[in-house]
């Protein structure tokens, strides 16, 4: 399983001390080809070099001092994956592009375009793209949120006890019911 | 301009006194054909019979006591439109399906699939589908938000002073730059 050489901290993305949003309130941003948007910067996925992930990008679509939530777009390249992590804040996810699988707690789910995923508080989760195409998803979070936590060696050992979860973590496309 | 015979109030949707969410936290909801989701109820657009709108449905995709934002999916049938309204809370919109136009303040914008729309506080806004296909969009709002306000006759008169806005409100497909 290849890993990113340069790695940043998780689903948590706002650098400490950074303003919530330096951008103006632009009423309309046209979508450009290939899932980008006018004036929206493609950022590195994470700023925590401890996090393990592979070929994933991040675009912050909505972040505003007057909004209690933020909406981000993550895109995982074919065969790539997000960081395995958990935290107190929740994720509300809609698959915008492609297909893949995700781990939510001890459940492995097959994902198709437009499927919804709810990640409850303190629940281990990871997203994996299929090898055929990118997996792009919207993720709504609270603007005020805690930092993600990475699994300890003990956590990883526990997760690997379930063969389905272990196969998912290895990157073996699981034969799970949708 | 046809109007709905039975009409409810605006983008505000939660009936007063209703619990935030009676549903369980379902980790995965598969998308079904034609922009519906497993276990997500298609609700009437509004509960305010004063609001003027046409052929629009609503599905609440994410609403949870632990989340400060909500994500809803609205779908406007071909030739239909949402209520013209404004309120203190903001809308963060992503077009998920189809095309159309929107009014944001005094600006009329052409909308294509995946475009982003930001509706700032106290800004008049309305969405109109093209006549060819449904216009479906995601809308993120604060879970705690004020009720939308409808335009007074004076507000409407002021909005109609701009020929571009008047044409939009009449439902004439405007020839505006994207």
């Amino acid at each position: 399983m290849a890993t990113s050489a340069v790695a940043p901290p998780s689903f948590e993305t706002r650098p400490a001390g950074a303003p919530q949003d330096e951008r103006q309130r632009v009423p309309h941003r046209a979508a450009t080809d290939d899932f980008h948007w006018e004036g929206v910067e493609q950022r590195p996925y994470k700023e925590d070099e401890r996090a393990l992930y592979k070929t994933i990008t991040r675009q912050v679509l909505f972040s505003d001092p007057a909004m209690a939530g933020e909406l981000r777009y993550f895109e995982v390249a074919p065969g790539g994956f997000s960081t395995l992590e958990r935290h107190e804040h929740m994720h509300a996810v809609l698959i915008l592009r492609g297909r893949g699988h995700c781990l939510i707690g001890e459940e492995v789910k097959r994902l198709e375009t437009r499927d919804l995923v709810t990640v409850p508080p303190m629940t281990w989760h990871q997203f994996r793209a299929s090898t055929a195409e990118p997996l792009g998803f919207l993720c709504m979070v609270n603007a005020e949120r805690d930092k993600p936590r990475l699994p300890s060696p003990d956590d990883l050992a526990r997760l690997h006890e379930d063969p389905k979860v272990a196969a998912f973590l290895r990157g073996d496309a699981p034969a799970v019911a949708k």
Side-chain angles (χ1 to χ4, degrees), chain A residues 33-106:
Chain A
D33 289 346
D34 208 26
F35 292 76
H36 289 79
W37 289 268
E38 282 179 354
V40 176
E41 182 192 1
Q42 185 169 303
R43 304 188 190 181
Y45 172 46
K46 290 170 185 290
E47 286 88 24
D48 180 349
E49 63 289 341
R50 298 167 306 152
L52 175 64
Y53 65 91
K54 187 184 170 198
T55 51
I56 175 166
T57 61
R58 169 171 67 98
Q59 296 176 73
V60 179
L61 304 186
F62 294 105
S63 176
D64 190 285
M67 298 208 78
E70 293 186 358
L71 195 67
R72 302 92 46 86
Y73 175 72
F74 295 91
E75 193 168 289
V76 187
F81 52 87
S82 66
T83 300
L84 175 64
E85 65 183 29
R86 65 178 183 177
H87 35 67
E88 287 292 345
H89 66 271
M90 288 180 64
H91 286 314
V93 166
L94 183 145
I95 307 298
L96 198 59
R97 175 185 198 181
R99 49 186 50 78
H101 290 84
C102 69
L103 175 70
I104 316 163
E106 295 171 355

Side-chain angles (χ1 to χ4, degrees), chain A residues 96-131:
Chain A
L96 198 59
R97 175 185 198 181
R99 49 186 50 78
H101 290 84
C102 69
L103 175 70
I104 316 163
E106 295 171 355
E107 291 192 66
V108 177
K109 296 288 184 183
R110 192 169 70 195
L111 300 175
E112 303 282 343
T113 302
R114 289 203 306 280
D115 282 3
L116 306 177
V117 177
T118 297
V119 181
M122 290 310 285
T123 303
W124 295 114
H125 57 280
Q126 184 171 52
F127 290 81
R128 287 183 174 269
S130 72
T131 55

